[in-house]
PDB file of all heavy atoms in Angstrom:
ATOM      1  N   LYS A 231     -30.895  -0.409   3.709  1.00 43.00           N
ATOM      2  CA  LYS A 231     -30.007  -0.810   2.572  1.00 43.00           C
ATOM      3  C   LYS A 231     -29.123  -1.971   2.973  1.00 43.00           C
ATOM      4  O   LYS A 231     -29.031  -2.976   2.266  1.00 43.00           O
ATOM      5  CB  LYS A 231     -29.176   0.342   2.068  1.00 43.00           C
ATOM      6  CG  LYS A 231     -28.305  -0.078   0.831  1.00 43.00           C
ATOM      7  CD  LYS A 231     -27.525   1.117   0.400  1.00 43.00           C
ATOM      8  CE  LYS A 231     -26.619   0.681  -0.844  1.00 43.00           C
ATOM      9  NZ  LYS A 231     -25.752   1.714  -1.296  1.00 43.00           N
ATOM     10  N   ASP A 232     -28.410  -1.864   4.093  1.00 44.00           N
ATOM     11  CA  ASP A 232     -27.490  -2.923   4.495  1.00 44.00           C
ATOM     12  C   ASP A 232     -27.921  -3.538   5.734  1.00 44.00           C
ATOM     13  O   ASP A 232     -28.459  -2.918   6.619  1.00 44.00           O
ATOM     14  CB  ASP A 232     -26.042  -2.395   4.599  1.00 44.00           C
ATOM     15  CG  ASP A 232     -25.928  -1.022   5.038  1.00 44.00           C
ATOM     16  OD1 ASP A 232     -26.099  -0.704   6.206  1.00 44.00           O
ATOM     17  OD2 ASP A 232     -25.656  -0.173   4.137  1.00 44.00           O
ATOM     18  N   VAL A 233     -27.741  -4.877   5.812  1.00 45.00           N
ATOM     19  CA  VAL A 233     -28.058  -5.617   6.982  1.00 45.00           C
ATOM     20  C   VAL A 233     -26.758  -6.219   7.484  1.00 45.00           C
ATOM     21  O   VAL A 233     -26.270  -7.139   6.958  1.00 45.00           O
ATOM     22  CB  VAL A 233     -29.062  -6.663   6.681  1.00 45.00           C
ATOM     23  CG1 VAL A 233     -29.466  -7.481   7.947  1.00 45.00           C
ATOM     24  CG2 VAL A 233     -30.353  -6.102   6.032  1.00 45.00           C
ATOM     25  N   VAL A 234     -26.288  -5.707   8.612  1.00 46.00           N
ATOM     26  CA  VAL A 234     -25.104  -6.210   9.228  1.00 46.00           C
ATOM     27  C   VAL A 234     -25.490  -6.627  10.631  1.00 46.00           C
ATOM     28  O   VAL A 234     -25.944  -5.821  11.477  1.00 46.00           O
ATOM     29  CB  VAL A 234     -23.965  -5.230   9.333  1.00 46.00           C
ATOM     30  CG1 VAL A 234     -22.734  -5.786   9.945  1.00 46.00           C
ATOM     31  CG2 VAL A 234     -23.610  -4.675   7.925  1.00 46.00           C
ATOM     32  N   GLN A 235     -25.432  -7.905  10.962  1.00 48.00           N
ATOM     33  CA  GLN A 235     -25.923  -8.389  12.205  1.00 48.00           C
ATOM     34  C   GLN A 235     -24.982  -9.206  12.931  1.00 48.00           C
ATOM     35  O   GLN A 235     -24.251 -10.007  12.351  1.00 48.00           O
ATOM     36  CB  GLN A 235     -27.256  -9.059  12.038  1.00 48.00           C
ATOM     37  CG  GLN A 235     -27.209 -10.165  11.006  1.00 48.00           C
ATOM     38  CD  GLN A 235     -28.596 -10.795  10.737  1.00 48.00           C
ATOM     39  OE1 GLN A 235     -29.249 -11.171  11.663  1.00 48.00           O
ATOM     40  NE2 GLN A 235     -28.947 -10.909   9.459  1.00 48.00           N
ATOM     41  N   LYS A 236     -24.960  -9.174  14.301  1.00 48.00           N
ATOM     42  CA  LYS A 236     -24.135 -10.050  15.080  1.00 48.00           C
ATOM     43  C   LYS A 236     -24.967 -11.217  15.338  1.00 48.00           C
ATOM     44  O   LYS A 236     -26.163 -11.280  15.597  1.00 48.00           O
ATOM     45  CB  LYS A 236     -23.732  -9.341  16.419  1.00 48.00           C
ATOM     46  CG  LYS A 236     -22.856  -8.217  16.209  1.00 48.00           C
ATOM     47  CD  LYS A 236     -22.488  -7.634  17.604  1.00 48.00           C
ATOM     48  CE  LYS A 236     -21.644  -6.433  17.468  1.00 48.00           C
ATOM     49  NZ  LYS A 236     -21.377  -5.752  18.806  1.00 48.00           N
ATOM     50  N   SER A 237     -24.298 -12.384  15.320  1.00 42.00           N
ATOM     51  CA  SER A 237     -24.974 -13.673  15.664  1.00 42.00           C
ATOM     52  C   SER A 237     -25.327 -13.572  17.123  1.00 42.00           C
ATOM     53  O   SER A 237     -24.544 -13.243  17.997  1.00 42.00           O
ATOM     54  CB  SER A 237     -24.029 -14.788  15.406  1.00 42.00           C
ATOM     55  OG  SER A 237     -24.547 -16.003  15.919  1.00 42.00           O
ATOM     56  N   PRO A 238     -26.535 -13.966  17.438  1.00 40.00           N
ATOM     57  CA  PRO A 238     -26.928 -13.995  18.905  1.00 40.00           C
ATOM     58  C   PRO A 238     -26.113 -14.955  19.735  1.00 40.00           C
ATOM     59  O   PRO A 238     -26.094 -14.888  20.892  1.00 40.00           O
ATOM     60  CB  PRO A 238     -28.426 -14.365  18.846  1.00 40.00           C
ATOM     61  CG  PRO A 238     -28.529 -15.067  17.528  1.00 40.00           C
ATOM     62  CD  PRO A 238     -27.572 -14.455  16.604  1.00 40.00           C
ATOM     63  N   THR A 239     -25.484 -15.922  19.036  1.00 40.00           N
ATOM     64  CA  THR A 239     -24.690 -16.886  19.771  1.00 40.00           C
ATOM     65  C   THR A 239     -23.184 -16.574  19.811  1.00 40.00           C
ATOM     66  O   THR A 239     -22.369 -17.311  20.227  1.00 40.00           O
ATOM     67  CB  THR A 239     -24.854 -18.347  19.100  1.00 40.00           C
ATOM     68  OG1 THR A 239     -24.399 -18.197  17.779  1.00 40.00           O
ATOM     69  CG2 THR A 239     -26.304 -18.750  19.221  1.00 40.00           C
ATOM     70  N   GLY A 240     -22.877 -15.336  19.309  1.00 41.00           N
ATOM     71  CA  GLY A 240     -21.473 -14.914  19.288  1.00 41.00           C
ATOM     72  C   GLY A 240     -20.868 -14.827  20.662  1.00 41.00           C
ATOM     73  O   GLY A 240     -21.596 -14.508  21.646  1.00 41.00           O
ATOM     74  N   SER A 241     -19.610 -15.061  20.777  1.00 39.00           N
ATOM     75  CA  SER A 241     -18.931 -15.024  22.064  1.00 39.00           C
ATOM     76  C   SER A 241     -18.430 -13.679  22.352  1.00 39.00           C
ATOM     77  O   SER A 241     -18.706 -12.712  21.596  1.00 39.00           O
ATOM     78  CB  SER A 241     -17.682 -15.960  22.070  1.00 39.00           C
ATOM     79  OG  SER A 241     -16.759 -15.434  21.191  1.00 39.00           O
ATOM     80  N   LYS A 242     -17.700 -13.506  23.418  1.00 38.00           N
ATOM     81  CA  LYS A 242     -17.132 -12.152  23.761  1.00 38.00           C
ATOM     82  C   LYS A 242     -16.260 -11.599  22.660  1.00 38.00           C
ATOM     83  O   LYS A 242     -16.165 -10.405  22.603  1.00 38.00           O
ATOM     84  CB  LYS A 242     -16.375 -12.241  25.120  1.00 38.00           C
ATOM     85  CG  LYS A 242     -17.240 -12.536  26.326  1.00 38.00           C
ATOM     86  CD  LYS A 242     -16.384 -12.571  27.521  1.00 38.00           C
ATOM     87  CE  LYS A 242     -17.279 -12.823  28.799  1.00 38.00           C
ATOM     88  NZ  LYS A 242     -16.487 -12.878  30.028  1.00 38.00           N
ATOM     89  N   ALA A 243     -15.764 -12.469  21.884  1.00 39.00           N
ATOM     90  CA  ALA A 243     -14.887 -11.947  20.785  1.00 39.00           C
ATOM     91  C   ALA A 243     -15.681 -11.122  19.852  1.00 39.00           C
ATOM     92  O   ALA A 243     -15.150 -10.291  19.186  1.00 39.00           O
ATOM     93  CB  ALA A 243     -14.202 -13.106  20.009  1.00 39.00           C
ATOM     94  N   ALA A 244     -16.930 -11.336  19.745  1.00 40.00           N
ATOM     95  CA  ALA A 244     -17.789 -10.540  18.923  1.00 40.00           C
ATOM     96  C   ALA A 244     -17.926  -9.127  19.370  1.00 40.00           C
ATOM     97  O   ALA A 244     -18.101  -8.191  18.599  1.00 40.00           O
ATOM     98  CB  ALA A 244     -19.197 -11.135  18.837  1.00 40.00           C
ATOM     99  N   GLU A 245     -17.732  -8.865  20.721  1.00 41.00           N
ATOM    100  CA  GLU A 245     -17.807  -7.538  21.247  1.00 41.00           C
ATOM    101  C   GLU A 245     -16.468  -6.833  21.068  1.00 41.00           C
ATOM    102  O   GLU A 245     -16.432  -5.659  21.049  1.00 41.00           O
ATOM    103  CB  GLU A 245     -18.183  -7.595  22.720  1.00 41.00           C
ATOM    104  CG  GLU A 245     -19.513  -8.297  22.939  1.00 41.00           C
ATOM    105  CD  GLU A 245     -19.715  -8.570  24.458  1.00 41.00           C
ATOM    106  OE1 GLU A 245     -18.869  -8.161  25.244  1.00 41.00           O
ATOM    107  OE2 GLU A 245     -20.750  -9.200  24.840  1.00 41.00           O
ATOM    108  N   ASP A 246     -15.402  -7.587  20.968  1.00 43.00           N
ATOM    109  CA  ASP A 246     -14.070  -7.004  20.870  1.00 43.00           C
ATOM    110  C   ASP A 246     -13.347  -7.732  19.740  1.00 43.00           C
ATOM    111  O   ASP A 246     -12.964  -8.850  19.885  1.00 43.00           O
ATOM    112  CB  ASP A 246     -13.301  -7.210  22.202  1.00 43.00           C
ATOM    113  CG  ASP A 246     -11.919  -6.558  22.109  1.00 43.00           C
ATOM    114  OD1 ASP A 246     -11.594  -5.917  21.107  1.00 43.00           O
ATOM    115  OD2 ASP A 246     -11.148  -6.668  23.097  1.00 43.00           O
ATOM    116  N   PRO A 247     -13.195  -7.038  18.575  1.00 41.00           N
ATOM    117  CA  PRO A 247     -12.523  -7.688  17.460  1.00 41.00           C
ATOM    118  C   PRO A 247     -11.023  -8.013  17.646  1.00 41.00           C
ATOM    119  O   PRO A 247     -10.487  -8.749  16.943  1.00 41.00           O
ATOM    120  CB  PRO A 247     -12.691  -6.628  16.316  1.00 41.00           C
ATOM    121  CG  PRO A 247     -12.855  -5.343  17.000  1.00 41.00           C
ATOM    122  CD  PRO A 247     -13.545  -5.632  18.289  1.00 41.00           C
ATOM    123  N   ALA A 248     -10.469  -7.500  18.733  1.00 40.00           N
ATOM    124  CA  ALA A 248      -9.062  -7.875  19.015  1.00 40.00           C
ATOM    125  C   ALA A 248      -9.044  -9.280  19.471  1.00 40.00           C
ATOM    126  O   ALA A 248      -9.884  -9.759  20.210  1.00 40.00           O
ATOM    127  CB  ALA A 248      -8.496  -6.924  20.054  1.00 40.00           C
ATOM    128  N   CYS A 249      -8.007 -10.014  19.022  1.00 47.00           N
ATOM    129  CA  CYS A 249      -7.874 -11.453  19.398  1.00 47.00           C
ATOM    130  C   CYS A 249      -7.298 -11.619  20.781  1.00 47.00           C
ATOM    131  O   CYS A 249      -6.665 -10.673  21.315  1.00 47.00           O
ATOM    132  CB  CYS A 249      -7.128 -12.174  18.391  1.00 47.00           C
ATOM    133  SG  CYS A 249      -7.884 -12.099  16.725  1.00 47.00           S
ATOM    134  N   THR A 250      -7.352 -12.788  21.259  1.00 43.00           N
ATOM    135  CA  THR A 250      -6.839 -13.091  22.660  1.00 43.00           C
ATOM    136  C   THR A 250      -5.319 -13.235  22.626  1.00 43.00           C
ATOM    137  O   THR A 250      -4.735 -13.312  23.619  1.00 43.00           O
ATOM    138  CB  THR A 250      -7.481 -14.374  23.209  1.00 43.00           C
ATOM    139  OG1 THR A 250      -7.244 -15.448  22.243  1.00 43.00           O
ATOM    140  CG2 THR A 250      -9.010 -14.130  23.349  1.00 43.00           C
ATOM    141  N   THR A 251      -4.685 -13.300  21.444  1.00 49.00           N
ATOM    142  CA  THR A 251      -3.249 -13.324  21.453  1.00 49.00           C
ATOM    143  C   THR A 251      -2.875 -12.245  20.410  1.00 49.00           C
ATOM    144  O   THR A 251      -3.625 -11.521  19.939  1.00 49.00           O
ATOM    145  CB  THR A 251      -2.765 -14.737  20.889  1.00 49.00           C
ATOM    146  OG1 THR A 251      -3.084 -14.805  19.522  1.00 49.00           O
ATOM    147  CG2 THR A 251      -3.355 -15.835  21.667  1.00 49.00           C
ATOM    148  N   ASP A 252      -1.462 -12.185  20.207  1.00 61.00           N
ATOM    149  CA  ASP A 252      -0.988 -11.234  19.215  1.00 61.00           C
ATOM    150  C   ASP A 252      -1.417 -11.588  17.803  1.00 61.00           C
ATOM    151  O   ASP A 252      -1.166 -10.808  16.887  1.00 61.00           O
ATOM    152  CB  ASP A 252       0.545 -11.105  19.319  1.00 61.00           C
ATOM    153  CG  ASP A 252       0.957 -10.464  20.636  1.00 61.00           C
ATOM    154  OD1 ASP A 252       0.127  -9.745  21.205  1.00 61.00           O
ATOM    155  OD2 ASP A 252       2.021 -10.692  21.083  1.00 61.00           O
ATOM    156  N   VAL A 253      -1.924 -12.810  17.551  1.00 72.00           N
ATOM    157  CA  VAL A 253      -2.248 -13.182  16.220  1.00 72.00           C
ATOM    158  C   VAL A 253      -3.773 -13.000  16.029  1.00 72.00           C
ATOM    159  O   VAL A 253      -4.586 -13.630  16.679  1.00 72.00           O
ATOM    160  CB  VAL A 253      -1.935 -14.699  16.022  1.00 72.00           C
ATOM    161  CG1 VAL A 253      -2.381 -15.107  14.563  1.00 72.00           C
ATOM    162  CG2 VAL A 253      -0.507 -14.995  16.226  1.00 72.00           C
ATOM    163  N   CYS A 254      -4.111 -12.028  15.154  1.00 86.00           N
ATOM    164  CA  CYS A 254      -5.523 -11.684  14.909  1.00 86.00           C
ATOM    165  C   CYS A 254      -5.974 -12.544  13.689  1.00 86.00           C
ATOM    166  O   CYS A 254      -5.412 -12.470  12.553  1.00 86.00           O
ATOM    167  CB  CYS A 254      -5.652 -10.267  14.601  1.00 86.00           C
ATOM    168  SG  CYS A 254      -7.480  -9.724  14.492  1.00 86.00           S
ATOM    169  N   VAL A 255      -6.965 -13.437  13.932  1.00 91.00           N
ATOM    170  CA  VAL A 255      -7.385 -14.397  12.910  1.00 91.00           C
ATOM    171  C   VAL A 255      -8.862 -14.183  12.616  1.00 91.00           C
ATOM    172  O   VAL A 255      -9.667 -14.021  13.525  1.00 91.00           O
ATOM    173  CB  VAL A 255      -7.179 -15.842  13.448  1.00 91.00           C
ATOM    174  CG1 VAL A 255      -7.591 -16.897  12.357  1.00 91.00           C
ATOM    175  CG2 VAL A 255      -5.755 -16.079  13.920  1.00 91.00           C
ATOM    176  N   CYS A 256      -9.179 -14.104  11.304  1.00 93.00           N
ATOM    177  CA  CYS A 256     -10.553 -14.066  10.870  1.00 93.00           C
ATOM    178  C   CYS A 256     -10.782 -15.199   9.811  1.00 93.00           C
ATOM    179  O   CYS A 256      -9.978 -15.358   8.927  1.00 93.00           O
ATOM    180  CB  CYS A 256     -10.870 -12.752  10.273  1.00 93.00           C
ATOM    181  SG  CYS A 256     -12.588 -12.622   9.785  1.00 93.00           S
ATOM    182  N   ILE A 257     -11.830 -15.952  10.063  1.00 94.00           N
ATOM    183  CA  ILE A 257     -12.265 -17.011   9.074  1.00 94.00           C
ATOM    184  C   ILE A 257     -13.373 -16.439   8.350  1.00 94.00           C
ATOM    185  O   ILE A 257     -14.434 -16.079   8.932  1.00 94.00           O
ATOM    186  CB  ILE A 257     -12.550 -18.322   9.825  1.00 94.00           C
ATOM    187  CG1 ILE A 257     -11.303 -18.898  10.492  1.00 94.00           C
ATOM    188  CG2 ILE A 257     -13.176 -19.311   8.791  1.00 94.00           C
ATOM    189  CD1 ILE A 257     -11.611 -20.140  11.299  1.00 94.00           C
ATOM    190  N   VAL A 258     -13.258 -16.366   7.035  1.00 95.00           N
ATOM    191  CA  VAL A 258     -14.303 -15.820   6.177  1.00 95.00           C
ATOM    192  C   VAL A 258     -14.977 -17.017   5.401  1.00 95.00           C
ATOM    193  O   VAL A 258     -14.301 -17.716   4.710  1.00 95.00           O
ATOM    194  CB  VAL A 258     -13.761 -14.806   5.147  1.00 95.00           C
ATOM    195  CG1 VAL A 258     -14.925 -14.217   4.311  1.00 95.00           C
ATOM    196  CG2 VAL A 258     -12.975 -13.730   5.864  1.00 95.00           C
ATOM    197  N   THR A 259     -16.307 -17.124   5.567  1.00 94.00           N
ATOM    198  CA  THR A 259     -16.988 -18.218   4.954  1.00 94.00           C
ATOM    199  C   THR A 259     -18.416 -17.748   4.633  1.00 94.00           C
ATOM    200  O   THR A 259     -18.715 -16.619   4.779  1.00 94.00           O
ATOM    201  CB  THR A 259     -16.966 -19.479   5.843  1.00 94.00           C
ATOM    202  OG1 THR A 259     -17.563 -20.613   5.083  1.00 94.00           O
ATOM    203  CG2 THR A 259     -17.743 -19.249   7.161  1.00 94.00           C
TER     204      THR A 259
END
Side-chain angles (χ1 to χ4, degrees):
K231 184 181 179 184
D232 31 75
V233 181
V234 182
Q235 50 186 310
K236 293 179 182 178
S237 169
T239 58
S241 69
K242 289 182 180 179
E245 300 170 5
D246 182 4
C249 299
T250 54
T251 70
D252 289 337
V253 180
C254 188
V255 182
C256 182
I257 296 175
V258 183
T259 187

